[in-house]
Amino acid sequence: MIPALWICKTGLDSQQTNISVTSNNLANASTVGYKKSRAIFEDLLYQKVNQPGGRSTADSFLPEGLMVGAGSRVVATQKNFAQGDVETTDNTLDLLIKGDGFFEIEMPDGTTAYTRNGQFTRNEEGTLVTAEGYTLLPQITIPEDATGISISTDGQVSVQTAGQTQAQDIGQITVTNFINPAGLEPIGNNLYLETSASGNPIQGVAGENGIGTIRQGQLETSNVKVTEELVNLIQAQRVYEMNSKVLTTVDTMMGSLIQSV
């Protein structure tokens, strides 16, 4: 009966992690550009009592074996990069990537991070930055005398200045994609880092080679579906309760055994 205690313990640990993942999804249901996660489970090693196909007698073999499992564990948390809903803001510096890809962000230590959150603003120098003050790459600086800002679907940035009849191009916003976006490392602040699992960044022009287009004055909301997450939370809670019930049952059985000795 001792193995049963450890098996239900692994079930409790797994469901605690599952509930934490679901809770994080619900907490970020209003976070712009957030991508929901899910817990990936796997069963643990099996105790091999009888090998399937093993010999049972001189002339017969076992059609099935006797294998006792050791429980479960969460082996990974997988990001779902499905497109979120579109929110129209009419803010000229709010950008949305319609399709695959990420905005490239320069971190304070010089490294590069990536984000789906297109809530940009200008710093004291007129450079486009995130809400945390991290610079958008390639760097785009808006002139002080700009009276209008236009960003095309391919990322071309142009401004209208006082006294000028023609719009002036000031830069190009590129979009970066990855072979395996689920392999990116989330670090908070709506940012991801490249890893060996994600593959190398593929930088390109928006709308070309499978990369998404840019929409000005719009934002991508979180792709978390609240009702779906609530169902997942209830399911995880029920599984947790069943594992807890197993723990109580095994404890009662062991108590009965001890009292009968």
Side-chain angles (χ1 to χ4, degrees), residues 121-133:
T121 186
R122 285 183 282 183
N123 63 11
E124 69 281 0
E125 298 175 351
T127 302
L128 292 188
V129 296
T130 67
E132 297 289 332

Side-chain angles (χ1 to χ4, degrees), residues 9 43 161 179 185 197 209 221 225 254:
K9 173 195 176 295
D43 51 354
T161 57
I179 295 176
E185 177 188 353
N209 301 319
T221 63
K225 306 300 182 186
M254 291 181 66

